[in-house]
Amino acid sequence: MTRPTGEPGPYAGVSRTAVVIAQAREAESARPDRLFDDPLAGPLADAAGRVTGISEAGRRAGEHFVLRTRFFDDRLREATAAGPRQVVLLAAGLDTRAFRLRWPRGTRLFEVDLPDLLSRKEKVLADHGARPACDRTVVPADLREDWSSPLLAAGLDPGEPIAWLIEGVLMYLTPEDGARVLCRVSELSPPGSRLAAEHVNRAYAELPQMRPAMSRLAATQAAWRSAVEDPREWLAGYGWRATVTHQADLARELGRPVPAMADPRAVGAARIWLVDALRDGGRPPGAPA
Ligand SMILES: C[S@@+](CC[C@H](N)C(=O)[O-])C[C@H]1O[C@@H](n2cnc3c(N)ncnc32)[C@H](O)[C@@H]1O
């Protein structure tokens, strides 16, 4: 099934953006020099209703989705090699890391997303006989509500370190909802926990090159609602010691062209933040005032 950009598919609003990302992962998986292999991305996009008519800006965003996928693959590998055996993907979307990455023995992975997306995803995975490479649990929940009670009920142990991934969702939440999510993540995370996350700054959301994409997202009830200007300071406020990777450096490191949207000559101070953070336990959790 295919749907032109702008028409609501079986997934509505922000959930539909997960389909665009799955399509980018599928395309990357077909490259001989692929940065990862995601054989389930195509079937998941098919079942969700493919997005067609992707604009030039959308194609450029695809380059970013690929780089960030590999970036977070590597962060989760490092995190679980360093200790945590619990992994939580907040707003997992059509992420298939539970199936395609190698996990240390005993890894338990939780995927949190909206109920409709997860029930459709589970059907596709079951139809394809997909077998996770870890102990995988899906947790249908809304990040704007109480998502941690169902996560704890599903077996997350806040007494043990956790590796969190918050990829491709914070910009869709209001600052207040994002702060509540970070606050709860931090409360649940003992020292030794890791947090990998993506956010953007306001200049990025306001780039003239982003205007068509922003209008399309707004028209599909997926407007960006928040931004962060200093990700280190932002996460330090919740008790995390963060390092930030520049997309352009990441592209060079991975042997790919620097995406136009990451070239400082083209975008000035606009940034997508790729963040990796360690919970050092030195500060009490809590949202900054
Ligand atoms: C851009 S996709 C990113 C998916 C995935 N993290 C990835 O990078 O492939 C955004 C995801 O956020 C989920 N999402 C949006 N709002 C949410 C909310 N309030 N609660 C839970 N999930 C939400 C959507 O369903 C969608 O899967």
Side-chain angles (χ1 to χ4, degrees), residues 11-19 21-22 25 65 68-69 72 89-97 112-115 117 141-145 147 165-169 171-173 177 198:
Y11 294 157
V14 188
S15 294
R16 194 156 161 275
T17 61
V19 183
I21 297 167
R25 290 182 178 144
F65 299 147
R68 95 174 184 204
T69 297
F72 289 128
L89 311 180
L90 287 184
L94 302 179
D95 185 312
T96 62
R97 290 185 174 94
V112 180
D113 208 296
L114 296 169
L117 181 139
D142 189 324
L143 293 175
R144 297 163 297 185
E145 297 168 4
W147 52 272
L165 174 59
I166 316 180
E167 179 184 21
V169 73
M171 60 290 279
Y172 294 102
L173 300 177
D177 285 335
E198 181 197 30

Short mmCIF file of all heavy atoms in Angstrom, two decimals, residues 11-19 21-22 25 65 68-69 72 89-97 112-115 117 141-145 147 165-169 171-173 177 198, ligand 1:
data_model
loop_
_atom_site.label_atom_id
_atom_site.label_comp_id
_atom_site.label_asym_id
_atom_site.label_seq_id
_atom_site.Cartn_x
_atom_site.Cartn_y
_atom_site.Cartn_z
N TYR A 11 -1.15 4.70 10.30
CA TYR A 11 -0.59 5.39 11.45
C TYR A 11 -0.82 6.87 11.23
O TYR A 11 -0.49 7.41 10.19
CB TYR A 11 0.92 5.17 11.54
CG TYR A 11 1.35 3.76 11.81
CD1 TYR A 11 2.62 3.35 11.46
CD2 TYR A 11 0.52 2.85 12.44
CE1 TYR A 11 3.06 2.07 11.72
CE2 TYR A 11 0.94 1.57 12.70
CZ TYR A 11 2.21 1.18 12.33
OH TYR A 11 2.65 -0.08 12.59
N ALA A 12 -1.34 7.53 12.26
CA ALA A 12 -1.60 8.96 12.11
C ALA A 12 -0.56 9.76 12.90
O ALA A 12 0.16 9.22 13.73
CB ALA A 12 -3.00 9.27 12.62
N GLY A 13 -0.54 11.07 12.64
CA GLY A 13 0.29 11.99 13.41
C GLY A 13 1.75 11.58 13.44
O GLY A 13 2.32 11.16 12.44
N VAL A 14 2.35 11.69 14.63
CA VAL A 14 3.79 11.44 14.76
C VAL A 14 4.11 9.98 14.42
O VAL A 14 5.19 9.67 13.93
CB VAL A 14 4.28 11.78 16.18
CG1 VAL A 14 5.79 11.69 16.24
CG2 VAL A 14 3.84 13.16 16.60
N SER A 15 3.17 9.07 14.67
CA SER A 15 3.45 7.66 14.41
C SER A 15 3.79 7.43 12.94
O SER A 15 4.53 6.52 12.59
CB SER A 15 2.26 6.79 14.82
OG SER A 15 2.08 6.85 16.21
N ARG A 16 3.21 8.27 12.08
CA ARG A 16 3.45 8.09 10.64
C ARG A 16 4.90 8.39 10.27
O ARG A 16 5.44 7.86 9.30
CB ARG A 16 2.49 8.99 9.87
CG ARG A 16 2.39 8.67 8.43
CD ARG A 16 1.08 9.16 7.89
NE ARG A 16 1.17 9.26 6.45
CZ ARG A 16 1.66 10.32 5.83
NH1 ARG A 16 2.10 11.34 6.53
NH2 ARG A 16 1.70 10.32 4.52
N THR A 17 5.54 9.26 11.05
CA THR A 17 6.95 9.57 10.77
C THR A 17 7.82 8.33 10.94
O THR A 17 8.88 8.22 10.33
CB THR A 17 7.47 10.71 11.69
OG1 THR A 17 7.37 10.27 13.05
CG2 THR A 17 6.67 11.98 11.52
N ALA A 18 7.35 7.40 11.76
CA ALA A 18 8.12 6.15 11.95
C ALA A 18 8.21 5.37 10.64
O ALA A 18 9.18 4.64 10.40
CB ALA A 18 7.47 5.30 13.04
N VAL A 19 7.20 5.52 9.78
CA VAL A 19 7.19 4.80 8.50
C VAL A 19 8.27 5.37 7.58
O VAL A 19 8.98 4.63 6.89
CB VAL A 19 5.80 4.89 7.84
CG1 VAL A 19 5.77 4.08 6.56
CG2 VAL A 19 4.70 4.43 8.80
N ILE A 21 10.98 6.73 8.45
CA ILE A 21 12.28 6.28 8.97
C ILE A 21 12.52 4.82 8.58
O ILE A 21 13.63 4.45 8.16
CB ILE A 21 12.34 6.48 10.50
CG1 ILE A 21 12.24 7.97 10.81
CG2 ILE A 21 13.61 5.89 11.07
CD1 ILE A 21 11.98 8.29 12.25
N ALA A 22 11.49 4.00 8.68
CA ALA A 22 11.64 2.58 8.28
C ALA A 22 12.02 2.51 6.80
O ALA A 22 12.87 1.68 6.41
CB ALA A 22 10.35 1.82 8.55
N ARG A 25 15.63 3.22 6.45
CA ARG A 25 16.44 2.07 6.93
C ARG A 25 16.41 0.93 5.92
O ARG A 25 17.41 0.23 5.74
CB ARG A 25 15.93 1.62 8.30
CG ARG A 25 16.23 2.64 9.38
CD ARG A 25 15.78 2.18 10.76
NE ARG A 25 16.14 3.19 11.75
CZ ARG A 25 15.40 3.50 12.81
NH1 ARG A 25 14.26 2.88 13.04
NH2 ARG A 25 15.81 4.44 13.65
N PHE A 65 18.51 10.11 9.17
CA PHE A 65 17.96 8.94 9.87
C PHE A 65 18.95 7.77 9.84
O PHE A 65 19.08 7.02 10.80
CB PHE A 65 16.63 8.49 9.24
CG PHE A 65 15.55 9.53 9.29
CD1 PHE A 65 14.61 9.62 8.28
CD2 PHE A 65 15.45 10.41 10.36
CE1 PHE A 65 13.61 10.58 8.31
CE2 PHE A 65 14.45 11.38 10.41
CZ PHE A 65 13.53 11.46 9.37
N ARG A 68 21.95 8.57 12.15
CA ARG A 68 21.58 8.50 13.56
C ARG A 68 21.28 7.07 13.99
O ARG A 68 21.55 6.68 15.12
CB ARG A 68 20.44 9.47 13.86
CG ARG A 68 19.07 8.86 13.83
CD ARG A 68 17.97 9.80 14.27
NE ARG A 68 16.72 9.06 14.28
CZ ARG A 68 15.53 9.61 14.16
NH1 ARG A 68 15.40 10.91 14.02
NH2 ARG A 68 14.46 8.86 14.20
N THR A 69 20.74 6.27 13.06
CA THR A 69 20.47 4.87 13.39
C THR A 69 21.76 4.17 13.76
O THR A 69 21.86 3.50 14.79
CB THR A 69 19.82 4.15 12.19
OG1 THR A 69 18.56 4.77 11.93
CG2 THR A 69 19.61 2.67 12.48
N PHE A 72 23.12 5.44 17.14
CA PHE A 72 22.48 4.88 18.33
C PHE A 72 22.69 3.36 18.43
O PHE A 72 22.72 2.83 19.55
CB PHE A 72 21.00 5.27 18.37
CG PHE A 72 20.77 6.73 18.67
CD1 PHE A 72 19.97 7.52 17.86
CD2 PHE A 72 21.37 7.32 19.77
CE1 PHE A 72 19.77 8.87 18.13
CE2 PHE A 72 21.19 8.67 20.05
CZ PHE A 72 20.39 9.44 19.24
N LEU A 89 13.60 1.50 24.88
CA LEU A 89 13.46 2.35 23.71
C LEU A 89 12.16 3.12 23.89
O LEU A 89 11.07 2.55 23.79
CB LEU A 89 13.39 1.51 22.43
CG LEU A 89 14.47 0.42 22.25
CD1 LEU A 89 14.26 -0.32 20.92
CD2 LEU A 89 15.87 1.01 22.31
N LEU A 90 12.28 4.41 24.21
CA LEU A 90 11.07 5.22 24.38
C LEU A 90 10.64 5.73 23.01
O LEU A 90 11.48 6.27 22.27
CB LEU A 90 11.33 6.40 25.31
CG LEU A 90 11.48 6.08 26.80
CD1 LEU A 90 11.64 7.37 27.61
CD2 LEU A 90 10.31 5.26 27.34
N ALA A 91 9.37 5.57 22.67
CA ALA A 91 8.87 5.90 21.32
C ALA A 91 9.64 5.07 20.29
O ALA A 91 10.24 5.61 19.37
CB ALA A 91 8.97 7.39 21.04
N ALA A 92 9.58 3.77 20.45
CA ALA A 92 10.39 2.85 19.63
C ALA A 92 9.99 2.89 18.16
O ALA A 92 10.82 2.62 17.28
CB ALA A 92 10.24 1.43 20.15
N GLY A 93 8.75 3.20 17.87
CA GLY A 93 8.32 3.22 16.47
C GLY A 93 8.55 1.87 15.81
O GLY A 93 8.29 0.81 16.40
N LEU A 94 9.08 1.87 14.60
CA LEU A 94 9.30 0.63 13.86
C LEU A 94 10.75 0.16 14.02
O LEU A 94 11.27 -0.60 13.17
CB LEU A 94 8.92 0.82 12.39
CG LEU A 94 7.45 1.27 12.20
CD1 LEU A 94 7.13 1.46 10.72
CD2 LEU A 94 6.49 0.29 12.84
N ASP A 95 11.37 0.57 15.10
CA ASP A 95 12.73 0.14 15.47
C ASP A 95 12.77 -1.39 15.58
O ASP A 95 11.90 -1.99 16.21
CB ASP A 95 13.05 0.77 16.83
CG ASP A 95 14.46 0.53 17.31
OD1 ASP A 95 14.92 -0.62 17.25
OD2 ASP A 95 15.09 1.50 17.75
N THR A 96 13.81 -1.98 14.97
CA THR A 96 13.94 -3.45 15.07
C THR A 96 15.27 -3.84 15.72
O THR A 96 15.78 -4.93 15.47
CB THR A 96 13.85 -4.10 13.67
OG1 THR A 96 14.95 -3.62 12.89
CG2 THR A 96 12.54 -3.79 12.97
N ARG A 97 15.80 -2.97 16.55
CA ARG A 97 17.10 -3.29 17.16
C ARG A 97 17.03 -4.57 18.00
O ARG A 97 18.03 -5.28 18.12
CB ARG A 97 17.59 -2.12 18.01
CG ARG A 97 18.01 -0.92 17.17
CD ARG A 97 18.60 0.18 18.04
NE ARG A 97 19.15 1.27 17.24
CZ ARG A 97 18.48 2.38 16.91
NH1 ARG A 97 17.22 2.55 17.29
NH2 ARG A 97 19.07 3.32 16.19
N VAL A 112 8.58 1.07 24.23
CA VAL A 112 7.40 1.86 24.61
C VAL A 112 6.96 2.67 23.40
O VAL A 112 7.78 3.33 22.75
CB VAL A 112 7.74 2.82 25.78
CG1 VAL A 112 6.51 3.63 26.17
CG2 VAL A 112 8.30 2.06 26.98
N ASP A 113 5.70 2.60 23.07
CA ASP A 113 5.13 3.46 22.02
C ASP A 113 3.62 3.43 22.17
O ASP A 113 3.08 2.77 23.08
CB ASP A 113 5.55 3.00 20.61
CG ASP A 113 5.58 4.17 19.60
OD1 ASP A 113 4.51 4.75 19.34
OD2 ASP A 113 6.66 4.50 19.09
N LEU A 114 2.95 4.14 21.30
CA LEU A 114 1.48 4.22 21.39
C LEU A 114 0.87 2.86 21.05
O LEU A 114 1.43 2.10 20.23
CB LEU A 114 0.97 5.31 20.44
CG LEU A 114 1.45 6.72 20.82
CD1 LEU A 114 1.15 7.73 19.71
CD2 LEU A 114 0.80 7.17 22.13
N PRO A 115 -0.26 2.53 21.68
CA PRO A 115 -0.84 1.18 21.53
C PRO A 115 -1.12 0.79 20.08
O PRO A 115 -0.83 -0.35 19.68
CB PRO A 115 -2.14 1.26 22.34
CG PRO A 115 -1.92 2.37 23.31
CD PRO A 115 -0.98 3.34 22.66
N LEU A 117 0.26 1.74 17.22
CA LEU A 117 1.49 1.43 16.48
C LEU A 117 2.04 0.07 16.91
O LEU A 117 2.37 -0.78 16.07
CB LEU A 117 2.53 2.52 16.69
CG LEU A 117 3.84 2.26 15.91
CD1 LEU A 117 4.37 3.54 15.29
CD2 LEU A 117 4.91 1.60 16.77
N ALA A 141 2.02 2.61 25.68
CA ALA A 141 1.83 3.72 26.63
C ALA A 141 2.04 5.04 25.92
O ALA A 141 2.72 5.11 24.89
CB ALA A 141 2.82 3.60 27.79
N ASP A 142 1.45 6.08 26.50
CA ASP A 142 1.57 7.43 25.95
C ASP A 142 2.57 8.20 26.82
O ASP A 142 2.37 8.31 28.03
CB ASP A 142 0.18 8.10 25.97
CG ASP A 142 0.17 9.42 25.20
OD1 ASP A 142 1.19 10.15 25.24
OD2 ASP A 142 -0.86 9.71 24.57
N LEU A 143 3.60 8.73 26.19
CA LEU A 143 4.64 9.43 26.95
C LEU A 143 4.12 10.71 27.60
O LEU A 143 4.79 11.29 28.45
CB LEU A 143 5.84 9.75 26.05
CG LEU A 143 6.63 8.54 25.56
CD1 LEU A 143 7.71 8.97 24.57
CD2 LEU A 143 7.25 7.78 26.71
N ARG A 144 2.94 11.17 27.20
CA ARG A 144 2.38 12.37 27.82
C ARG A 144 1.60 12.02 29.08
O ARG A 144 1.11 12.89 29.78
CB ARG A 144 1.46 13.10 26.83
CG ARG A 144 2.20 13.61 25.61
CD ARG A 144 1.26 13.95 24.50
NE ARG A 144 0.56 12.76 24.04
CZ ARG A 144 -0.27 12.72 23.00
NH1 ARG A 144 -0.49 13.81 22.31
NH2 ARG A 144 -0.86 11.59 22.67
N GLU A 145 1.46 10.69 29.30
CA GLU A 145 0.72 10.24 30.48
C GLU A 145 1.65 9.42 31.37
O GLU A 145 2.84 9.58 31.31
CB GLU A 145 -0.52 9.47 30.01
CG GLU A 145 -1.44 10.38 29.21
CD GLU A 145 -2.53 9.61 28.47
OE1 GLU A 145 -2.62 8.38 28.64
OE2 GLU A 145 -3.27 10.26 27.71
N TRP A 147 3.60 6.59 31.72
CA TRP A 147 4.16 5.48 30.96
C TRP A 147 5.05 4.59 31.82
O TRP A 147 5.34 3.45 31.46
CB TRP A 147 4.98 6.00 29.76
CG TRP A 147 6.00 7.02 30.16
CD1 TRP A 147 5.79 8.38 30.24
CD2 TRP A 147 7.35 6.80 30.58
NE1 TRP A 147 6.94 9.00 30.68
CE2 TRP A 147 7.91 8.06 30.89
CE3 TRP A 147 8.14 5.66 30.72
CZ2 TRP A 147 9.22 8.20 31.34
CZ3 TRP A 147 9.45 5.80 31.17
CH2 TRP A 147 9.97 7.06 31.47
N LEU A 165 17.04 4.78 25.21
CA LEU A 165 17.18 5.46 23.93
C LEU A 165 15.91 6.28 23.70
O LEU A 165 14.79 5.75 23.76
CB LEU A 165 17.34 4.44 22.79
CG LEU A 165 17.34 5.05 21.37
CD1 LEU A 165 18.46 6.07 21.19
CD2 LEU A 165 17.45 3.95 20.31
N ILE A 166 16.11 7.57 23.44
CA ILE A 166 14.98 8.46 23.13
C ILE A 166 15.31 9.11 21.78
O ILE A 166 15.94 10.17 21.69
CB ILE A 166 14.75 9.53 24.21
CG1 ILE A 166 14.83 8.93 25.62
CG2 ILE A 166 13.39 10.18 24.01
CD1 ILE A 166 14.62 9.94 26.74
N GLU A 167 14.92 8.44 20.73
CA GLU A 167 15.32 8.80 19.36
C GLU A 167 14.10 9.30 18.58
O GLU A 167 13.09 8.60 18.48
CB GLU A 167 15.88 7.54 18.68
CG GLU A 167 16.32 7.71 17.24
CD GLU A 167 16.75 6.37 16.62
OE1 GLU A 167 16.35 5.30 17.15
OE2 GLU A 167 17.46 6.41 15.60
N GLY A 168 14.20 10.50 18.06
CA GLY A 168 13.18 10.98 17.13
C GLY A 168 11.84 11.29 17.74
O GLY A 168 10.82 11.18 17.05
N VAL A 169 11.81 11.68 19.01
CA VAL A 169 10.49 11.97 19.58
C VAL A 169 10.45 13.24 20.42
O VAL A 169 9.41 13.90 20.48
CB VAL A 169 9.95 10.78 20.41
CG1 VAL A 169 10.69 10.62 21.72
CG2 VAL A 169 8.45 10.91 20.63
N MET A 171 11.37 16.26 20.08
CA MET A 171 10.96 17.51 19.43
C MET A 171 9.44 17.55 19.18
O MET A 171 8.87 18.60 18.96
CB MET A 171 11.74 17.74 18.13
CG MET A 171 11.61 16.69 17.07
SD MET A 171 12.42 15.12 17.51
CE MET A 171 14.11 15.43 17.12
N TYR A 172 8.79 16.39 19.22
CA TYR A 172 7.34 16.35 19.00
C TYR A 172 6.55 16.59 20.29
O TYR A 172 5.34 16.76 20.25
CB TYR A 172 6.92 14.98 18.43
CG TYR A 172 7.47 14.72 17.05
CD1 TYR A 172 8.56 13.88 16.86
CD2 TYR A 172 6.89 15.30 15.92
CE1 TYR A 172 9.06 13.63 15.59
CE2 TYR A 172 7.40 15.05 14.66
CZ TYR A 172 8.47 14.22 14.50
OH TYR A 172 8.98 13.97 13.24
N LEU A 173 7.25 16.53 21.43
CA LEU A 173 6.59 16.74 22.71
C LEU A 173 6.67 18.20 23.11
O LEU A 173 7.62 18.91 22.72
CB LEU A 173 7.26 15.88 23.80
CG LEU A 173 7.24 14.36 23.57
CD1 LEU A 173 8.01 13.65 24.70
CD2 LEU A 173 5.82 13.82 23.47
N ASP A 177 5.97 18.26 28.58
CA ASP A 177 5.91 16.79 28.48
C ASP A 177 7.31 16.20 28.37
O ASP A 177 7.62 15.17 28.97
CB ASP A 177 5.07 16.37 27.26
CG ASP A 177 3.58 16.56 27.50
OD1 ASP A 177 3.15 16.55 28.68
OD2 ASP A 177 2.83 16.73 26.51
N GLU A 198 18.14 12.15 21.06
CA GLU A 198 18.24 13.11 19.96
C GLU A 198 17.34 14.30 20.24
O GLU A 198 16.21 14.12 20.75
CB GLU A 198 17.78 12.44 18.65
CG GLU A 198 17.88 13.35 17.45
CD GLU A 198 17.06 12.83 16.29
OE1 GLU A 198 16.04 12.16 16.52
OE2 GLU A 198 17.42 13.12 15.15
C1 LIG B 1 9.84 9.83 14.39
S1 LIG B 1 9.20 8.33 15.06
C2 LIG B 1 10.68 7.66 15.77
C3 LIG B 1 10.58 6.18 16.00
C4 LIG B 1 11.86 5.50 16.44
N1 LIG B 1 12.37 6.02 17.68
C5 LIG B 1 12.89 5.60 15.34
O1 LIG B 1 13.75 6.47 15.40
O2 LIG B 1 12.80 4.81 14.42
C6 LIG B 1 8.35 8.96 16.48
C7 LIG B 1 7.69 7.88 17.31
O3 LIG B 1 7.18 8.48 18.48
C8 LIG B 1 5.97 7.85 18.83
N2 LIG B 1 5.23 8.76 19.66
C9 LIG B 1 4.83 10.00 19.34
N3 LIG B 1 4.17 10.56 20.37
C10 LIG B 1 4.17 9.63 21.36
C11 LIG B 1 3.63 9.61 22.67
N4 LIG B 1 2.98 10.65 23.15
N5 LIG B 1 3.80 8.49 23.39
C12 LIG B 1 4.45 7.43 22.90
N6 LIG B 1 4.98 7.39 21.68
C13 LIG B 1 4.84 8.48 20.91
C14 LIG B 1 5.32 7.61 17.49
O4 LIG B 1 4.30 6.63 17.56
C15 LIG B 1 6.51 7.19 16.65
O5 LIG B 1 6.70 5.81 16.67
#
